[in-house]
Amino acid sequence: MRTIRDPKQRGGVVIIDVPNIVPELAKREVLVDYRPQAGIRIAPHFYTTDDELDHTIKEIQKIVCQK
């Protein structure tokens, strides 16, 4: 994970560096923001439900475990 560890410097974004999974996430209808040399940017908003966040993380885990 590339997220800053110091809580005083963190914002509301989590960056997970998992290469080459964005196309597979898209096939599963999970849309993420991928930033080269950073990773997948997960930035929950007030309109993002907990279920959607859980689903995104579970799909990332499934893809990574298949490799």
Side-chain angles (χ1 to χ4, degrees):
M1 184 167 20
R2 293 186 180 252
T3 302
I4 295 172
R5 299 286 184 188
D6 182 354
K8 293 176 185 170
Q9 295 181 345
R10 278 195 305 231
V13 175
V14 175
I15 307 250
I16 303 172
D17 189 12
V18 184
N20 306 317
I21 69 166
V22 174
E24 183 59 34
L25 284 172
K27 287 180 191 174
R28 297 171 187 221
E29 298 184 8
V30 176
L31 304 178
V32 296
D33 180 10
Y34 175 76
R35 307 278 172 114
Q37 281 134 39
I40 296 170
R41 182 175 180 265
I42 301 173
H45 296 282
F46 67 91
Y47 50 79
T48 306
T49 67
D50 289 348
D51 288 341
E52 290 170 322
L53 295 171
D54 289 341
H55 177 71
T56 299
I57 296 301
K58 286 177 184 173
E59 291 303 316
I60 290 170
Q61 289 172 330
K62 287 178 190 176
I63 295 167
V64 169
C65 288
Q66 288 176 356
K67 291 184 177 189

